[in-house]
């Protein structure tokens, strides 16, 4: 069963979470019951995917053994080489899953949601390295990694933030507000995903005109797909956040009016925020810190630009599914170029003031950014794989 893919799924969740809601209204959190409910829902999700269920179980055991082992080794000797080995082993299942389409035998490691549970587990290795996580029990680990509302596509939570919610449950009054917010977000998800995204798909993306190789059809597809992608994914995220709130967990937001972004940096602070912040914190910032500390390159702007390139290039590779490769790599490189070019523009503007800061330029910046972002989504969609579309 696909999470949030049918009303049947919502009915199951509603029934299983009734005791959780009743307890929340009394200012209590039923952690053990929620753990059982999670196992039941995961069993339903993977009921038609037994091999994936086994892969998921093996993944959890693998990651927990790795984290416990790294915790023990770090207490004895905090070697950088040990950290690199731990990180490599943590992301290894995801790497194998990404190359599985080319090596069929590796499909055994794949399961629904492998990317996002890997990000959660790998993030813990980083924070153990930083001394922010001192101890992890198996129950706390799988409670976080297998948190069912966000199992398939995020948002990506952080272990310490999640534990704060777990260890300090909301009071009865606080939970009433969370329940209200959670239900509103669930209905927002229905509006976004099952109504707006559905209508865009049916009446714009699936019409014969879109299949024509003309500039107008490609342009129409570009804007329609951009809005479809937002409402579909934002609707899914609203479901996740809504159900999380019902369980007393404030799962972080994933979208913040991204099409009102003033520039490409602002866009990545608004679009798929949990993912972009994860890449920023654990790839871009780590590289910049490492390169600066080791004095690999003297120019700090060059370091930042190489970091941006790595950040978006890896993000593009991460999006790869099946045989679809080039469009995602080009998408990542496209955003890396936008990020770097905007930074150069921003620095030059501070010196020469050729782009004033007023209401008109603010609106113009939003319009320009919107079009650049939509073209990026056109690349992402794969609709341009046949380049002749541009010259139809």
């Amino acid at each position: 069963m696909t999470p949030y893919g049918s009303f049947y799924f919502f009915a199951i969740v509603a029934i299983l979470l009734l005791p959780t809601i009743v307890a929340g209204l009394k200012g209590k959190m039923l952690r053990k019951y929620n753990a059982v409910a999670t196992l039941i829902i995961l069993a339903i999700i993977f009921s038609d995917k037994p091999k994936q269920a086994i892969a998921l179980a093996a993944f959890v055991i693998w990651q927990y053994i790795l984290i416990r082992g790294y915790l023990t080794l770090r207490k004895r000797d905090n070697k950088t080489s040990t950290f690199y080995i731990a990180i490599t082993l943590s992301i290894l299942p995801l790497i194998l899953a990404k190359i599985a389409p080319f090596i069929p035998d590796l499909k055994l490691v794949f399961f629904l949601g492998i990317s996002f549970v890997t990000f959660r587990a790998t993030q813990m290795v980083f924070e153990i390295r930083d001394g922010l996580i001192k101890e992890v029990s198996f129950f706390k680990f799988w409670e976080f990694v297998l948190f069912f509302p966000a199992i398939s596509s995020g948002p990506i939570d952080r272990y310490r933030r999640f534990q704060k919610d777990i260890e300090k449950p909301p009071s009865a009054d606080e939970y009433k507000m969370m329940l209200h917010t959670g239900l509103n977000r669930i209905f927002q998800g229905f509006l976004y995903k099952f109504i707006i995204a559905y209508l865009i798909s049916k009446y714009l993306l699936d019409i014969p005109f879109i299949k024509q190789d003309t500039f107008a059809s490609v342009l129409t597809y570009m804007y329609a797909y951009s809005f479809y992608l937002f409402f579909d994914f934002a609707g899914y995220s609203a479901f996740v956040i809504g159900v999380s709130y019902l369980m007393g967990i404030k799962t972080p937001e994933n979208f913040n009016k991204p099409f009102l972004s003033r520039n490409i940096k602002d866009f990545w602070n608004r679009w798929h925020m949990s993912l972009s912040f994860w890449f920023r914190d654990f790839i871009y910032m780590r590289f910049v810190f490492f390169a600066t500390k080791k004095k690999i390159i003297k120019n700090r702007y060059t370091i930042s630009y190489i970091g941006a390139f790595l950040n978006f290039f890896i993000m593009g590779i991460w999006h790869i599914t099946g045989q679809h490769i080039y469009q995602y790599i080009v998408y990542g490189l496209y955003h890396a170029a936008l990020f770097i070019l905007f930074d150069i523009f921003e620095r030059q503007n501070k010196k020469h003031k050729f782009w004033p800061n007023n209401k008109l330029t603010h609106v113009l910046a939003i319009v320009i950014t919107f079009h650049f972002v939509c073209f990026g989504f056109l690349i992402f969609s794969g609709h341009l794989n046949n380049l002749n579309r541009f010259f139809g």
Side-chain angles (χ1 to χ4, degrees):
M1 178 186 293
T2 303
Y4 311 108
S6 66
F7 290 104
Y8 181 52
F9 178 84
F10 286 96
I12 294 172
V13 171
I15 293 170
L16 285 174
L17 292 188
L18 276 176
T20 299
I21 294 171
V22 172
L25 292 171
K26 296 180 180 180
K28 300 178 181 180
M29 180 179 286
L30 305 179
R31 288 182 65 183
K32 292 182 179 179
Y33 174 79
N34 289 344
V36 173
T38 291
L39 291 177
I40 293 173
I41 292 176
L42 290 179
I44 293 172
I45 291 173
F46 290 96
S47 60
D48 58 342
K49 311 175 190 74
K51 292 182 179 179
Q52 290 191 28
I54 294 172
L56 175 59
F59 173 89
V60 171
I61 295 171
W62 167 265
Q63 294 288 354
Y64 181 69
I65 291 173
L66 176 63
I67 285 173
R68 290 294 303 176
Y70 182 55
L71 267 170
T72 302
L73 290 174
R74 188 188 179 281
K75 291 175 182 178
R76 296 176 181 175
D77 189 356
N78 190 23
K79 290 183 178 179
T80 302
S81 59
T82 305
F83 166 69
Y84 289 147
I85 292 172
I87 285 293
T88 302
L89 293 176
S90 181
I91 64 173
L92 180 60
L94 179 57
I95 294 173
L96 295 177
K98 287 298 180 181
I99 63 176
F102 310 99
I103 306 176
D105 291 342
L106 293 179
K107 290 183 179 180
L108 292 173
V109 305
F110 175 80
F111 58 86
L112 177 71
I114 186 171
S115 291
F116 292 93
V117 294
T118 299
F119 286 146
R120 287 178 224 165
T122 302
Q123 169 258 321
M124 293 178 68
V125 176
F126 276 107
E127 296 201 335
I128 290 171
R129 161 72 170 177
D130 296 339
L132 300 175
I133 297 177
K134 304 293 186 180
E135 194 60 47
V136 180
S137 69
F138 182 71
F139 180 74
K140 287 183 178 181
F141 172 75
W142 79 261
E143 185 181 32
F144 167 67
V145 172
L146 295 182
F147 186 60
F148 87 82
I151 188 69
S152 62
S153 299
I156 307 167
D157 209 343
R158 304 294 176 91
Y159 178 77
R160 290 184 302 136
R161 197 222 62 80
F162 183 87
Q163 286 303 315
K164 286 181 180 179
D165 284 357
I166 289 291
E167 293 169 3
K168 189 180 178 182
S171 65
D173 290 337
E174 290 172 336
Y175 184 79
K176 288 178 183 178
M177 294 298 296
M178 291 184 68
L179 178 61
H180 180 265
T181 301
L183 292 174
N184 280 339
R185 296 307 300 273
I186 291 172
F187 282 108
Q188 180 190 44
F190 282 120
L191 172 64
Y192 278 19
K193 186 173 178 66
F194 291 133
I195 297 178
I196 299 178
Y198 169 79
L199 292 175
I200 292 174
S201 177
K202 183 175 182 179
Y203 294 105
L204 288 174
L205 296 179
D206 294 336
I207 59 176
F209 170 72
I210 291 295
K211 298 179 181 180
Q212 298 176 13
D213 295 336
T214 66
F215 179 80
S217 67
V218 173
L219 200 65
T220 302
Y221 181 90
M222 180 177 78
Y223 294 120
Y225 179 77
S226 296
F227 281 108
Y228 167 79
L229 190 63
F230 167 73
F231 283 110
D232 184 71
F233 198 7
Y236 166 85
S237 295
F239 286 143
V240 174
I241 293 169
V243 174
S244 299
Y245 270 54
L246 299 188
M247 298 177 71
I249 303 295
K250 294 182 179 180
T251 292
E253 293 290 339
N254 231 3
F255 296 92
N256 179 23
K257 302 176 182 177
F259 292 139
L260 295 181
S261 304
R262 303 182 307 278
N263 53 65
I264 200 64
K265 290 182 180 179
D266 188 30
F267 172 76
W268 282 108
N269 285 328
R270 294 168 175 264
W271 176 270
H272 204 344
M273 295 185 292
S274 66
L275 178 69
S276 64
F277 293 167
W278 195 98
F279 273 84
R280 178 199 66 191
D281 294 346
F282 300 117
I283 296 179
Y284 174 78
M285 293 303 297
R286 299 279 170 160
F287 171 80
V288 170
F289 176 78
F290 174 81
T292 303
K293 182 180 179 181
K294 298 295 183 180
K295 298 181 180 180
I296 297 175
I297 301 172
K298 293 182 179 181
N299 189 302
R300 61 190 178 96
Y301 297 116
T302 303
I303 291 175
S304 177
Y305 298 155
I306 295 174
F309 170 82
L310 288 174
N311 186 81
F312 288 106
F313 179 67
I314 294 172
M315 185 182 289
I317 290 176
W318 169 74
H319 277 99
I320 291 174
T321 56
Q323 302 295 325
H324 302 284
I325 300 176
Y326 302 110
Q327 69 204 54
Y328 299 120
I329 294 177
V330 173
Y331 173 76
L333 296 177
Y334 171 77
H335 275 279
L338 290 183
F339 190 92
I340 293 169
L341 290 172
F342 174 74
D343 186 79
I344 295 172
F345 167 84
E346 190 175 39
R347 288 193 291 111
Q348 291 299 315
N349 188 52
K350 287 181 180 179
K351 294 180 180 179
H352 306 291
K353 305 294 182 182
F354 49 78
W355 184 271
N357 184 17
N358 55 49
K359 291 183 179 180
L360 177 61
T361 56
H362 180 88
V363 173
L364 187 58
I366 291 175
V367 173
I368 293 172
T369 302
F370 171 74
H371 285 83
F372 274 106
V373 165
C374 287
F375 184 73
F377 287 141
L378 181 62
I379 296 172
F380 181 86
S381 71
H383 200 67
L384 289 180
N385 284 350
N386 179 6
L387 295 179
N388 290 329
R389 290 178 184 277
F390 263 143
F391 308 102

